[in-house]
Amino acid sequence: MDGNATTTHKNVALLSLATTIAPRVTTSEEIDARLAPVLKRLKLPKGLLQRVAGVYERRNWAEGENFDDAAISAGKRALAAAGIQPGQVGLLINTSVTRRNLEPSVAVKIHHGLGLPSSATNFDIANACLGFVNGMNLAGQLIDSGSIDYAIIVDGEDADVIQHNTIERLLSSEMDRDAFMSEFASLTLGSGAAAAVLGRADRHPEGHRLLGGVTRAATEFNELCVGSVDGMFTNAKELLRGGMGLVVAAWKEAKRDWNWTNMDRYILHQVSSVHTDAIVKATGMNKNRVPLTYPKLGNVGPASIPITLSQEAEHLKKGDRVLLMGVGSGLNTAMMELAW
């Protein structure tokens, strides 16, 4: 089906961003060392994560740390930076892929941890790596409608269990090359958390305006990347092909309403060098305006876009045009413009 879903925001601003970077560094060399027996048996070279994905390090939580407490920490700092009291918040959206249980939602612990009022609606949005952008878009619509004054979007990810389970399974004597490569993407994942506070732009001229954007779906590719706590299984070649087709279709269709050919920054979901280079080439965007965090942090799921934006914020100036952009398993894509 042709056509993007287009959203235009009238009076919404990003007031603050805060992140929690997991402290423990796990290098790709360390993972290579752990996988040495299977790499030797399958005659695979060391350094695939560095050369193929461009991921040299990823972060993991230290003993006693966890993803939801990290999201609460980021949320508290985001509220403080925005100058907003918990009692003013009308909406909390958690966008974490990671969760301890099917029920209750992750949002309820974060709602409690942030001390939000009982009147603040709270729930999870699950849409793979696009959740944070989807959450910002939905919160923006509720602010525009007058339903709420302030919203907080949070995300916390924990790659530790999936990383451990994947390495243990890859060391199995039954593992062949195809099976190994289908789980390769799991080894690029990292842990971290982020939070953003949104509010009314007319009350906060210092904020960064959400202008709007597009989404587009290609759900015929729903089985190309399937993940659980046991691992993430990916048909990398077909996923890249389907993802690029989706991005190009959305990009071209968006030209009727948006002009994104000369943005000051492109904040992409951080997957790998292959993925980033393919998007840059397909859209013709200026690669020098695409900051990268995956080489040191890996793929932090939905938190990767806000983490990358937060790290780039000090280099942005008032009036810069910023495009948030990503592809999520399923497949879906989302593109959202901010006026810094």
Side-chain angles (χ1 to χ4, degrees):
M1 293 184 292
D2 292 331
N4 292 328
T6 300
T7 302
T8 302
H9 294 296
K10 305 294 185 183
N11 188 31
V12 185
L14 171 65
L15 307 185
S16 64
L17 271 174
T19 64
T20 306
I21 305 300
R24 183 162 56 89
V25 177
T26 302
T27 68
S28 292
E29 288 183 348
E30 291 177 65
I31 292 178
D32 269 350
R34 294 175 66 182
L35 292 175
V38 70
L39 292 174
K40 181 178 180 180
R41 181 173 62 81
L42 297 178
K43 295 182 173 57
L44 289 169
K46 294 182 179 180
L48 285 175
L49 284 162
Q50 299 93 315
R51 293 197 301 274
V52 176
V55 175
Y56 293 83
E57 298 175 358
R58 76 281 295 135
R59 297 298 188 99
N60 298 99
W61 299 115
E63 186 71 27
E65 295 181 325
N66 56 67
F67 74 97
D68 41 14
D69 286 340
I72 291 170
S73 174
K76 287 180 177 178
R77 284 180 278 114
L79 287 171
I84 304 302
Q85 296 299 314
Q88 296 175 270
V89 175
L91 173 67
L92 163 74
I93 301 177
N94 167 67
T95 67
S96 307
V97 171
T98 303
R99 60 179 55 248
R100 298 178 189 279
N101 312 293
L102 291 177
E103 294 290 349
S105 69
V106 178
V108 296
K109 179 177 179 180
I110 298 174
H111 181 282
H112 177 69
L114 292 176
L116 301 185
S118 61
S119 57
T121 303
N122 61 96
F123 51 81
D124 294 349
I125 282 183
N127 194 22
C129 295
L130 289 184
F132 205 95
V133 176
N134 293 153
M136 291 177 67
N137 183 44
L138 176 58
Q141 292 180 48
L142 290 172
I143 291 171
D144 271 333
S145 74
S147 299
I148 58 172
D149 292 326
Y150 298 100
I152 182 166
I153 319 302
V154 298
D155 187 274
E157 302 299 339
D158 187 344
D160 293 29
V161 174
I162 189 173
Q163 191 178 98
H164 172 78
N165 289 345
T166 298
I167 290 174
E168 289 299 307
R169 190 166 43 253
L170 291 178
L171 289 171
S172 166
S173 61
E174 299 177 358
M175 185 65 57
D176 60 21
R177 277 194 175 216
D178 288 342
F180 184 98
M181 295 311 298
S182 75
E183 298 199 50
F184 182 75
S186 297
L187 302 177
T188 68
L189 300 177
S191 303
V197 175
L198 306 184
R200 299 188 187 283
D202 56 5
R203 296 184 186 177
H204 296 274
E206 77 284 0
H208 314 294
R209 291 288 299 270
L210 270 67
L211 301 183
V214 301
T215 62
R216 179 182 269 249
T219 52
E220 64 270 27
F221 299 118
N222 64 84
E223 294 186 353
L224 294 183
C225 182
V226 179
S228 71
V229 293
D230 292 324
M232 186 166 67
F233 303 87
T234 304
N235 182 332
K237 182 178 180 180
E238 291 303 309
L239 187 66
L240 183 64
R241 183 183 67 82
M244 288 308 99
L246 179 63
V247 166
V248 170
W251 184 270
K252 289 181 177 178
E253 192 84 16
K255 289 182 179 180
R256 296 186 305 188
D257 303 295
W258 307 91
N259 178 15
W260 292 328
T261 57
N262 193 32
M263 304 296 286
D264 294 291
R265 292 295 189 285
Y266 298 93
I267 306 296
L268 305 186
H269 170 54
Q270 303 291 303
V271 180
S272 68
S273 55
V274 173
H275 178 271
T276 301
D277 291 346
I279 286 182
V280 168
K281 181 178 180 180
T283 59
M285 65 179 62
N286 186 339
K287 189 173 183 179
N288 294 327
R289 299 178 183 179
V290 182
L292 304 178
T293 55
Y294 66 78
K296 296 293 185 180
L297 300 181
N299 177 354
V300 198
S304 72
I305 286 179
I307 285 175
T308 305
L309 178 60
S310 177
Q311 294 197 0
E312 189 64 16
E314 64 180 271
H315 304 295
L316 297 173
K317 62 183 184 298
K318 189 71 173 177
D320 278 352
R321 298 178 65 202
V322 179
L323 186 67
L324 312 183
M325 180 176 173
V327 179
S329 302
L331 288 168
N332 288 290
T333 188
M335 305 173 190
M336 174 184 288
E337 182 176 348
L338 305 181
W340 205 257

